[in-house]
Amino acid sequence: MRRLARLAGLAPLPSALTLVCQAAGQAAAIAVPAVLAVVVDGLLSGSPGLLWPAALAGLLLGQALADAAAGVASAGASSRVTARLRGRLARHVLALGVPGSRRHDTGDLVARLAGNATAAGRAVPAVAATLLAAVTTVAGAVALWLLDWRLGAVFLAGTVPAVLLLRRLTGDIGASYAGYLERLGAIAGRLAETVGGARTVRASGTSAHEIGRILEPLPGLREAGASTWAAQRAITWRVDLLITVFRLAVLTTAGFGVWRGWLSPGGFVAAALYLGIAMGFLDQVDNLVTLAEAGANAGRVSELLDEEAPAAREPSAGDGPATLSLRGVRVEGVLDGLDLEIPAGACVAVVGRSGAGKSTLALLAGGLLEPDAGEVLVGGAPVARGQVSYAFDRPVLLGETVADAIAYGRPHLNGEVGEAARAAQADAFVRRLPEGYATPLAEAPLSGGELQRLGLARAIAHGGRVLVLDDATSGLDTVTEARVASALDGLAGRTRLVIAHRAGTAARADLVAWLDEGRIAALGRHEDLWRDHPGYRDLLGRTG
């Protein structure tokens, strides 16, 4: 409940308005029985008057208006909380950087962002209604005591077991629903993974296998869903039984009071109405179920928000090429105490067998991945935002147009966009597009190599003291790759780290770092490594 109540802080004004409107409606509901009792007794005595009936009508109208306003405020609070929760979740996911755990699968992230955040946002009105129900239950019980202590005693006798029953049953719903959401997220993650590799699946003829893999958690999902519905069924019939027993016990006592003369007919009517108010906590089954399910959804959102993101470092004031240093860097299962020093302005190619950790090293260089141990320095200081630009082997273009994609994240760029495209050997094919640089990305048919060149152009345009090319020219022919390398050599103020698979790429670098078994096996010029290390020759002979 505390976690859900904190959600109201994401939209304090709509949440407060919801609470005020609901409280106004409940206050009117509490006053109605007392006024109605006076009206009834007045009618029976033959002198009803006009004041109390008018007061009763005003209370009923006020309650209706307050309930209507509460509905509007509740919708506003839910939507505002959901929007802000999604915004916070999206920012935190980006702050976490490159995913390292299965919890960060795309499908699972979408499930948390779309479904879980929405369900958690709906909890705010339910929290307000539940808190007010607790208050009005106490008010109704006090009113029963004030009418006659015997009515209050009968009501109190059944309250404690009812509360314990509700607490246990709603706990069962929350646990079952949490398991349901976990399995649903697993299915979403596997589905997104398969859709991303749809061509491979189709080419391999493994559609049936993939369907089975995606739906593997389905029996657990069905079991968790059935358990959730069973818990809801159990709470519904037991609560209905409790309500019936409560009503019979209290109303029988009130009727006996009218018969014996210690309760007036108007008092009987007031007791019946106050009984409904006092039983408000039992009428909150739907809200309690909503809260249990919202708590499970909020738990999945909080699980991700609670992951500690690396602290954002402000850009360094330094200018010009910078030394890139990796000292004692360890990433469990990949790198083991790696040391690498790249001189300022130099181009170092990193080679190694598949799975040796080349891409992991590239991610570490720009702070996209935090090492388990060791440190990464640019110009002698921890790597900071804006110091390192990246070009990846499979770049994702973001923005509305081709120009937007190159300048993405740097809206102030203008002439630099064309210059960067020319350096990346992309200007010619961009100008052949229907609207040139203004061509919408959705209407720009691009090959894999053209995508890579636009990714290179984006990295060049973004500047930075270090440029990391993570196999960013693998889709280019050797002539185009040589032209790109020549253009990059002409860029002043860039230290370059190149993940290479071709002997020609390694040969053009100033130095080559041979990565093997989590460490740098050798560092030197390509010609020297080729001459002195048969393993190096064998590696690039097979990959290049």
Side-chain angles (χ1 to χ4, degrees):
M1 177 66 80
R2 285 194 298 269
R3 174 186 290 165
L4 295 176
R6 284 199 298 269
L7 291 177
L10 296 177
L13 185 58
S15 299
L17 186 59
T18 299
L19 186 61
V20 168
C21 292
Q22 290 185 354
Q26 291 294 335
I30 291 172
V32 163
V35 175
L36 182 60
V38 175
V39 172
V40 169
D41 287 339
L43 288 171
L44 293 176
S45 67
S47 56
L50 295 177
L51 177 61
W52 290 107
L56 178 62
L59 285 172
L60 292 174
L61 178 61
Q63 183 181 0
L65 292 175
D67 289 343
V72 174
S74 297
S78 295
S79 59
R80 186 70 61 85
V81 168
T82 298
R84 293 191 174 177
L85 191 59
R86 283 176 173 170
R88 177 177 292 184
L89 186 60
R91 286 191 296 273
H92 191 70
V93 167
L94 294 177
L96 287 174
V98 176
S101 68
R102 297 297 294 175
R103 282 181 303 178
H104 295 156
D105 286 339
T106 302
D108 185 55
L109 282 176
V110 171
R112 293 177 195 248
L113 188 64
N116 300 145
T118 301
R122 287 198 297 265
V124 172
V127 169
T130 304
L131 292 175
L132 285 174
V135 174
T136 54
T137 292
V138 173
V142 170
L144 289 174
W145 274 95
L146 293 176
L147 285 171
D148 190 90
W149 67 269
R150 281 161 284 206
L151 299 177
V154 172
F155 176 81
L156 186 61
T159 301
V160 174
V163 170
L164 293 177
L165 176 64
L166 286 174
R167 182 176 180 181
R168 183 176 67 82
L169 291 178
T170 52
D172 292 343
I173 292 175
S176 300
Y177 196 64
Y180 179 87
L181 293 176
E182 182 179 353
R183 290 166 177 81
L184 193 63
I187 291 175
R190 296 182 183 200
L191 177 61
E193 184 180 51
T194 300
V195 169
R199 289 185 298 180
T200 301
V201 172
R202 187 173 180 180
S204 304
T206 56
S207 298
H209 170 77
E210 280 301 306
I211 292 172
R213 188 181 70 87
I214 293 169
L215 298 181
E216 184 180 356
L218 193 58
L221 180 73
R222 184 185 300 112
E223 181 181 347
S227 178
T228 301
W229 283 110
Q232 292 190 33
R233 182 174 62 247
I235 195 174
T236 299
W237 76 261
R238 292 180 187 182
V239 167
D240 286 344
L241 179 61
L242 276 174
I243 289 175
T244 301
V245 172
F246 261 73
R247 289 189 185 281
L248 284 174
V250 176
L251 292 179
T252 298
T253 304
F256 182 77
V258 174
W259 176 54
R260 299 296 296 175
W262 46 263
L263 192 66
S264 69
F268 180 88
V269 173
L273 294 177
Y274 278 126
L275 174 61
I277 293 173
M279 291 171 58
F281 75 99
L282 286 177
D283 287 334
Q284 294 298 308
V285 172
D286 288 342
N287 275 336
L288 291 174
V289 170
T290 298
L291 290 177
E293 294 180 351
N297 282 281
R300 281 177 53 79
V301 174
S302 297
E303 182 183 18
L304 200 56
L305 291 176
D306 289 343
E307 285 196 32
E308 186 176 353
R313 302 183 182 98
E314 289 303 312
S316 170
D319 195 12
T323 300
L324 174 63
S325 307
L326 294 93
R327 300 175 181 174
V329 169
R330 183 176 66 83
V331 175
E332 186 175 355
V334 184
L335 302 178
D336 183 19
L338 180 141
D339 292 297
L340 177 62
E341 191 88 3
I342 300 179
C347 176
V348 172
V350 178
V351 302
R353 60 177 176 78
S354 177
K358 300 184 296 296
S359 291
T360 298
L361 191 153
L363 295 175
L364 288 168
L368 299 185
L369 185 67
E370 291 291 315
D372 296 323
E375 59 181 354
V376 180
L377 306 175
V378 173
V383 59
R385 178 169 51 87
Q387 289 184 319
V388 180
S389 296
Y390 276 89
F392 298 102
D393 58 338
R394 288 178 291 180
V396 176
L397 302 182
L398 302 171
E400 296 296 325
T401 66
V402 173
D404 291 340
I406 296 175
Y408 182 74
R410 303 289 194 277
H412 61 278
L413 296 180
N414 191 6
E416 297 90 342
V417 169
E419 294 175 7
R422 285 189 287 275
Q425 303 301 302
D427 181 72
F429 76 77
V430 170
R431 292 187 180 279
R432 288 196 297 269
L433 293 173
E435 299 178 53
Y437 286 91
T439 302
L441 285 174
E443 301 175 13
L446 300 172
S447 67
E450 289 169 343
L451 280 172
Q452 281 195 340
R453 279 181 273 174
L454 288 179
L456 280 164
R458 179 174 59 192
I460 294 169
H462 281 199
R465 307 177 72 187
V466 177
L467 177 61
V468 177
L469 307 181
D470 187 0
D471 204 18
T473 58
S474 59
L476 307 184
D477 59 81
T478 53
V479 174
T480 303
E481 183 184 14
R483 289 174 179 170
V484 170
S486 177
L488 292 177
D489 287 339
L491 293 177
R494 298 292 185 94
T495 302
R496 278 170 286 145
L497 175 68
V498 181
I499 305 303
H501 290 87
R502 296 174 178 173
T505 305
R508 283 190 289 269
D510 298 316
L511 295 170
V512 178
W514 178 18
L515 184 60
D516 188 43
E517 295 185 357
R519 297 191 176 188
I520 301 299
L523 177 67
R525 296 174 66 249
H526 168 74
E527 294 82 358
D528 297 334
L529 297 181
W530 187 274
R531 182 188 64 243
D532 299 335
H533 296 277
Y536 179 81
R537 289 197 303 273
D538 181 61
L539 173 69
L540 288 187
R542 286 186 289 106
T543 60

